[in-house]
């Protein structure tokens, strides 16, 4: 992993240096022969990264007003300005970058320090994301799964572009947090686990505690994503729960008969943790003087709906995964079901009752504005304006669903549970991306996670997934099954007592 991270870091530095040189060229052209610019902000930003200019204005305005949280801007709706609801956490990161730039380069004007920070801000952020998620994946699924994830994060254009140098916007961190949400859901088996690791081909966690740990990571990542952008995260949370239900209904009874177990407590832990953590994030952003009913952003009603949705998946998943006999089927607990349904219905009811004052996108004027924003257009509309080459990369990316469908058809074991859920989730987001192209960025997190499970499932044996034959026998991919050891999610022993080794019949 160290070698992988070094290579990823070198690629990030190379990209940063190239963009820095490009921006230096733009700055020189903008001077038109003058010795230096006389404007307060002097650095040119590539047109595709224009949102970074808005964040610079927000941070500078907050610094001048001695306001730590983003609340108001005079840039929009000039000269009156308007109330804004952006994540202050991202603005704090930018303030920290400006402070670090001043510490490194000496006293600078606030705007100059922040502008210089834009050139390097995303590089350490992206590197930290790669180390965090690939390191966790390597710990849970083996080193080669971590290596594959690291290079996928560097190599996927839609994931990387959100961290491009000078493109200082919250979309990169949103996508990184959503990646953690989906990775965690996959490692928690979407609520399924196998109490006895009888089948090497199983991709389910082999211990309930590991499924619960992954549920915590998934929920906390989702809460951070909610704080950064509820609009981008809510569909991911909702579709993730829907994927769990679809798999329980489709493969639940077969998986139970094969030895897998559905644990509703994993889903309940996921929902309660996510609801509590997103509620805390709301208080960090708005307490004590800005509490309100703005549902365009993170709100306690969404936390309530998260809890209700997870409760619904836990109850219905248990029911659908039960045996066919009436005696094997649990009874629905209506005292749990009705509050859960009420919690799910609370946000849309509030939007309907409050109208634009509660949910601004329902305002006719605001609703029409999306037609003038490129990222809000549909894919056919983008093709009509910019040509097919503008979306060619995204169309090629949809082909990942073909091998996923083939593997789902060929595999007849509990591999279908996680792989099927990820395929459903990826397909749903690709459909969203066809209607609104901004979803291609979020869909990249689903595609990358699906890729990891595709390679593991295609290997034919999860305990040997991605492992080269020359890997030392003492490694986590050893061809022996050892006693008194702790096992990873994909069925590989990773540590413990190595005194006794038993041969494994791979047939």
């Amino acid at each position: 992993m160290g070698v992988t991270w070094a290579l990823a870091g070198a690629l990030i530095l190379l990209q940063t240096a190239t963009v820095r040189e490009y921006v230096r060229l733009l700055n020189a052209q903008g001077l038109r022969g003058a010795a230096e610019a006389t404007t307060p902000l002097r650095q040119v930003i590539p047109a595709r990264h224009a949102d970074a200019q808005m964040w610079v204005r927000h941070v500078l305005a907050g610094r001048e007003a001695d306001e730590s949280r983003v609340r108001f801007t005079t840039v929009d709706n000039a000269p009156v300005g308007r109330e804004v609801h952006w994540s202050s956490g991202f603005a704090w990161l930018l303030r920290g970058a400006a402070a670090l730039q001043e510490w490194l380069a000496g006293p600078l004007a606030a705007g100059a320090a922040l502008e210089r920070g834009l050139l390097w801000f995303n590089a350490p952020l992206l590197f930290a994301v790669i180390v965090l998620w690939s390191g966790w994946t390597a710990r849970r699924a083996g080193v080669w799964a971590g290596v594959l994830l690291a290079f996928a994060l560097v190599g996927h254009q839609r994931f990387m572009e959100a961290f491009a140098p000078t493109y200082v916007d919250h979309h990169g961190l949103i996508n990184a947090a959503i990646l953690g949400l989906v990775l965690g859901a996959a490692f928690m088996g979407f609520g399924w686990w196998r109490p006895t690791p009888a089948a090497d081909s199983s991709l389910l966690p082999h211990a309930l505690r590991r499924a619960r740990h992954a549920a915590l990571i998934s929920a906390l990542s989702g809460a951070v994503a909610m704080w950064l952008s509820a609009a981008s995260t809510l569909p991911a949370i909702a579709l993730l729960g829907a994927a769990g239900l679809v798999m329980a209904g489709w493969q639940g009874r077969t998986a139970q008969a094969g030895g897998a177990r559905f644990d509703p407590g994993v889903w309940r832990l996921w929902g309660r943790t996510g609801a509590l953590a997103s509620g805390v994030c709301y208080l960090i952003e708005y307490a004590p003087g800005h509490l309100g009913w703005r549902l365009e952003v993170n709100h306690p009603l969404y936390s309530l709906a998260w809890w209700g949705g997870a409760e619904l998946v836990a109850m219905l998943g248990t029911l659908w995964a039960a045996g066919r006999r009436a005696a094997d089927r649990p009874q629905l607990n209506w005292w749990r079901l009705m509050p859960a349904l009420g919690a799910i219905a609370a946000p849309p009811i509030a939007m309907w009752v409050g109208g634009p004052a509660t949910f601004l996108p329902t305002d006719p004027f605001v609703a029409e504005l999306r037609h003038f924003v490129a990222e809000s257009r549909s894919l056919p509309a983008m093709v009509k304006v910019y040509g097919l080459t503008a979306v060619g990369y995204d169309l090629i990316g949809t082909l990942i669903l073909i091998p996923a469908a083939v593997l789902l058809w060929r595999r007849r074991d509990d591999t279908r549970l996680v792989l099927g859920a990820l395929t459903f989730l990826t397909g749903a987001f690709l459909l969203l991306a066809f209607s609104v192209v901004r979803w291609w960025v979020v869909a990249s997190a689903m595609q990358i996670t699906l890729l990891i499970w595709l390679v593991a499932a295609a290997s034919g044996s999860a305990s040997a997934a991605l492992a080269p034959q020359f890997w030392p026998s003492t490694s986590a991919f050893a061809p022996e099954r050892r006693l008194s050891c702790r096992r990873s999610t994909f069925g590989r022993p990773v540590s413990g007592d190595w005194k006794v080794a038993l041969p494994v019949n791979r047939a």
Side-chain angles (χ1 to χ4, degrees):
M1 290 309 301
V3 173
T4 299
W5 293 335
L7 290 173
L11 291 172
I12 294 170
L13 289 177
L14 178 63
Q15 183 194 32
T16 302
T18 303
V19 174
R20 181 189 292 269
E21 185 61 31
Y22 174 60
V23 170
R24 186 180 293 114
L25 174 64
L26 294 179
N27 289 338
Q29 292 294 322
L31 292 176
R32 301 181 183 277
E36 62 179 10
T38 57
T39 53
L41 298 177
R42 304 180 180 185
Q43 184 169 282
V44 175
I45 298 294
R48 293 190 63 186
H49 303 169
D51 286 349
Q53 296 175 318
M54 297 300 298
W55 279 106
V56 168
R57 296 296 297 269
H58 290 324
V59 171
L60 292 178
R63 183 167 176 168
E64 292 171 3
D66 197 24
E67 174 62 63
S68 62
R69 290 179 281 192
V70 180
R71 291 288 174 265
F72 192 84
T73 182
T74 57
V75 177
D76 291 347
N77 196 33
V80 179
R82 70 177 180 93
E83 180 183 4
V84 292
H85 295 270
W86 297 109
S87 171
S88 298
F90 189 75
W92 297 341
L93 289 177
L94 284 174
R95 284 192 178 191
L100 179 59
Q101 182 68 50
E102 290 186 61
W103 180 75
L104 292 173
L108 292 169
L114 187 55
E115 281 190 310
R116 292 189 185 184
L118 297 181
L119 289 170
W120 55 261
F121 178 83
N122 275 334
L125 207 59
L126 175 60
F127 185 73
V129 167
I130 292 172
V131 171
L132 174 65
W133 293 132
S134 66
W136 186 52
T137 299
R139 183 175 177 81
R140 293 297 300 260
V143 65
W144 291 102
V147 169
L148 177 60
L149 179 64
F151 282 116
L153 295 180
V154 174
H156 198 301
Q157 180 178 320
R158 289 294 170 256
F159 191 92
M160 272 290 289
E161 70 180 2
F163 288 99
T166 74
Y167 186 30
V168 177
D169 199 2
H170 58 184
H171 290 297
L173 280 182
I174 294 167
N175 210 25
I178 291 176
L179 176 65
L181 171 74
V182 180
L183 268 179
F187 280 128
M188 79 178 194
F190 283 86
W192 292 86
W193 67 292
R194 177 175 284 278
T196 55
D200 284 344
S201 61
S202 176
L203 302 185
L204 299 179
H206 292 319
L208 183 57
R209 62 178 179 81
R210 297 179 70 79
R212 294 174 65 86
H213 175 262
L216 289 173
I217 298 296
S218 174
L220 293 174
S221 299
V224 172
M226 283 286 291
W227 184 17
L228 293 168
S229 173
S232 296
T233 310
L234 282 170
I237 294 173
L239 288 171
L240 196 153
L245 273 181
V246 168
M247 289 303 107
W250 179 41
Q251 288 292 307
R253 292 172 181 172
T254 303
Q256 289 269 33
R261 295 291 179 265
F262 180 81
D263 190 278
V266 173
W267 279 105
R268 290 191 172 107
L269 177 65
W270 179 77
R272 292 167 184 174
T273 303
L276 178 61
S278 60
V280 170
C281 289
Y282 174 81
L283 293 178
I284 292 173
E285 183 67 49
Y286 290 106
H290 294 276
L291 306 178
W293 290 92
R294 306 304 313 188
L295 296 184
E296 308 91 2
V297 292
N298 185 27
H299 192 272
L301 283 184
Y302 292 136
S303 302
L304 190 65
W306 192 344
W307 164 80
E311 188 69 31
L312 185 66
V313 175
M315 287 187 289
L316 294 184
T318 303
L319 181 64
W320 295 349
R324 294 182 180 274
R325 295 186 306 170
D328 297 334
R329 296 179 185 175
Q331 297 296 317
L332 273 179
N333 187 336
W334 292 95
W335 293 104
R336 282 177 177 250
L337 180 62
M338 297 311 295
L341 292 175
I344 296 171
I349 290 175
M351 294 175 190
W352 178 68
V353 173
T358 300
F359 191 61
L360 190 60
T362 59
D363 181 88
F365 174 75
V366 176
E368 284 298 313
L369 288 179
R370 72 179 186 87
H371 298 295
F372 299 94
V373 180
E375 66 180 20
S376 297
R377 294 172 177 169
S378 66
L379 186 135
M382 290 290 288
V383 172
K384 184 177 181 180
V385 175
Y386 300 106
L388 189 61
T389 55
V391 296
Y393 180 87
D394 301 307
L395 292 176
I396 293 173
T398 63
L399 299 179
I400 193 173
L401 295 177
I402 296 176
V406 171
L407 279 174
L408 285 175
W409 177 70
R410 293 185 62 183
R411 297 296 293 261
R412 302 294 179 179
D413 53 17
D414 57 30
T415 299
R416 284 182 166 185
L417 291 171
V418 178
L419 186 61
L422 291 175
T423 303
F424 174 89
L425 193 60
T426 304
F429 263 91
L430 291 178
L431 286 176
L432 285 176
F434 270 86
S435 60
V436 179
V437 296
R438 71 186 301 269
W439 291 112
W440 286 114
V441 176
V442 181
S444 67
M446 319 300 170
Q447 291 171 313
I448 290 169
T449 308
L450 177 58
L451 174 66
I452 303 300
W453 262 258
L454 271 178
V455 174
S459 70
S461 173
S463 62
L466 309 177
Q469 295 300 317
F470 60 82
W471 200 254
S473 61
T474 57
S475 76
F477 299 97
E480 301 87 15
R481 179 171 295 152
R482 302 174 184 270
L483 302 182
S484 303
C485 64
R486 179 164 55 86
R487 301 186 65 82
S488 77
T489 300
F490 286 172
R492 308 178 184 86
V494 292
S495 67
D497 185 1
W498 306 106
K499 293 181 179 179
V500 181
L502 298 179
V504 172
N505 184 354
R506 288 296 181 193

